[in-house]
Amino acid sequence: MKTLFGKLADGTEIHSWSLENGGTRLKVLSYGGIVQSLEIPDREGRYANVSAGFGTIEDYVARSPYFGALIGRYGNRIAKGRFTLDGESHQLSVNDDANSLHGGATGFDRRVWDVEPFTEGSNVGLHLSCTSVDGEMGYPGTLRTKVTYTLTRQGDWRIDYEATTDKATVVNLTSHVYWNLAGEGSGTIEDHELTIRASRYTPTDSGLIPTGEPAEVAGTPFDFRRAKPIGRDLRDAHPQQINAKGYDHNWVLDKGVTAKPEHVATLRDPRSGRTLKIATTEPGLQFYSGNFLDGTLVGTSGRTYRQGDALCLETQHFPDSPNHPSFPSTVLRPGQTYRTTTIHSFGC
């Protein structure tokens, strides 16, 4: 179902698309490809929206910390907004102190996407597409992007990303949903139990840029190889956590890049019994514990979001990969097609 959600300052209409399948209810905006709400049942069959967001387009435009958005051209940070490709230097839009974050000042989270609904067998979904012209936000090449959101008959939310370019460029697309499985606006996620199938992570400098050498999680607060409450080590004295004000790091998934999605993470809320399992083809997972939510944002529930009231699990290639030859490559060339898939499976 398509409804008018609001209008931008220039009069552009922003629509909301509602999907339901397999017990999962999803609302998506044409602005930023934003997941405005995602509702799933708890162990008693009671539905709640488990994705942080806003009730108006004005708030998304003026205040959003990427709530629910599609991220591109490059998810996460590129140091000083600079990289060199094939001997040519490129300067990107800088929007995070000295660095470029999530594609720059006008990333894919601020684009109005073309949206087409579809039904395919027992699945329903949306095709979202946009074109980023050569030089936009400093990136080389005209990038044509198609993202498909699918709700399966099992209630899984699947994201398939595709992109092509007419010049060599770098691409790293992801989704920036803020999760709280107890329900949006219900309070802290510190009691959520998290598992990440990763033996290493990428430490960062003071600007949250990877230093380049992955470190072992063993013996550190970054060890989520067995399920543990997020709050258990959240305020540990580890210098990496002090620097990031919590968790805001890329985990190096043990499986690496894979042709098909493989299970990499599980999130469980003991209060409601809701679970989220993530499978992906990507080599990295950015776990962000909502460190910079400061009580100034009011969500769809009418409640404020405070530090640690939601978390992100962003499947991705590594931050700043264009400046680290040892990291999995994010280069896309003419004639190639960028393809990645991430599947979110819900249960209780």
Side-chain angles (χ1 to χ4, degrees):
M1 183 176 68
K2 176 183 177 182
T3 59
L4 181 65
F5 185 74
K7 295 182 180 181
L8 301 181
D10 64 1
T12 301
E13 292 185 345
I14 302 302
H15 292 94
S16 170
W17 298 82
S18 298
L19 304 173
E20 184 172 356
N21 204 13
T24 300
R25 302 168 182 169
L26 181 66
K27 287 187 179 180
V28 177
L29 304 182
S30 53
Y31 180 79
I34 286 170
V35 173
Q36 199 254 339
S37 72
L38 194 153
E39 298 181 20
I40 54 175
D42 66 6
R43 61 168 65 95
E44 305 297 333
R46 296 170 296 196
Y47 274 83
N49 172 22
V50 296
S51 171
F54 295 121
T56 69
I57 190 60
E58 288 80 11
D59 277 342
Y60 279 110
V61 171
R63 314 186 69 197
S64 181
Y66 305 99
F67 281 153
L70 283 174
I71 301 298
R73 293 187 185 191
Y74 199 97
N76 218 291
R77 294 170 175 85
I78 294 180
K80 299 181 180 178
R82 298 175 191 162
F83 69 94
T84 300
L85 179 59
D86 296 338
E88 184 176 351
S89 297
H90 300 277
Q91 178 63 59
L92 307 177
S93 165
V94 172
N95 61 327
D96 180 56
D97 293 328
N99 303 316
S100 183
L101 175 65
H102 292 332
T106 308
F108 285 1
D109 60 295
R110 293 184 173 272
R111 295 291 300 273
V112 179
W113 292 69
D114 294 326
V115 183
E116 292 290 338
F118 70 88
T119 300
E120 188 176 86
S122 58
N123 299 333
V124 299
L126 302 170
H127 295 304
L128 301 98
S129 58
C130 77
T131 298
S132 176
V133 299
D134 182 24
E136 187 171 271
M137 296 295 105
Y139 287 91
T142 294
L143 191 76
R144 302 183 190 281
T145 302
K146 177 182 177 182
V147 179
T148 301
Y149 288 167
T150 303
L151 281 187
T152 71
R153 63 190 176 97
Q154 293 85 12
D156 295 348
W157 173 39
R158 176 180 175 125
I159 312 176
D160 292 286
Y161 304 87
E162 296 182 17
T164 58
T165 184
D166 61 359
K167 289 182 183 179
T169 191
V170 294
V171 187
N172 188 27
L173 307 179
T174 191
S175 171
H176 211 295
V177 171
Y178 283 68
W179 302 101
N180 186 324
L181 296 184
E184 171 272 334
S186 65
T188 183
I189 47 81
E190 290 188 23
D191 58 349
H192 281 39
E193 297 167 356
L194 178 63
T195 308
I196 303 176
R197 293 184 172 183
S199 302
R200 298 180 299 160
Y201 75 105
T202 50
T204 63
D205 64 16
S206 60
L208 300 182
I209 299 293
T211 58
E213 291 295 329
E216 298 291 326
V217 301
T220 78
F222 294 86
D223 193 349
F224 284 91
R225 290 174 296 177
R226 293 185 178 181
K228 70 175 180 180
I230 289 169
R232 177 180 295 174
D233 301 320
L234 182 61
R235 292 175 178 81
D236 206 78
H238 194 287
Q240 283 290 309
Q241 287 177 289
I242 293 172
N243 183 45
K245 297 181 172 59
Y247 296 111
D248 192 3
H249 295 78
N250 170 70
W251 268 253
V252 179
L253 299 173
D254 290 340
K255 71 173 189 64
V257 177
T258 49
K260 295 182 179 180
E262 294 187 13
H263 176 228
V264 297
T266 300
L267 183 68
R268 176 180 177 270
D269 170 43
R271 287 179 285 171
S272 66
R274 295 186 183 96
T275 61
L276 164 63
K277 293 183 178 180
I278 296 178
T280 189
T281 58
E282 292 281 63
L285 180 75
Q286 185 83 10
F287 166 38
Y288 168 56
S289 54
N291 315 328
F292 298 102
L293 300 175
D294 61 3
T296 63
L297 303 178
V298 179
T300 52
S301 61
R303 301 185 184 97
T304 58
Y305 297 142
R306 296 176 174 84
Q307 187 179 56
D309 280 356
L311 64 94
C312 300
L313 296 168
E314 304 154 64
T315 56
Q316 61 180 16
H317 271 56
F318 304 168
D320 201 33
S321 288
N323 294 311
H324 296 279
S326 63
F327 288 178
S329 176
T330 55
V331 175
L332 180 68
R333 298 187 181 278
Q336 298 176 335
T337 300
Y338 171 98
R339 287 189 177 94
T340 73
T341 298
T342 294
I343 301 173
H344 306 80
S345 300
F346 306 102
C348 60

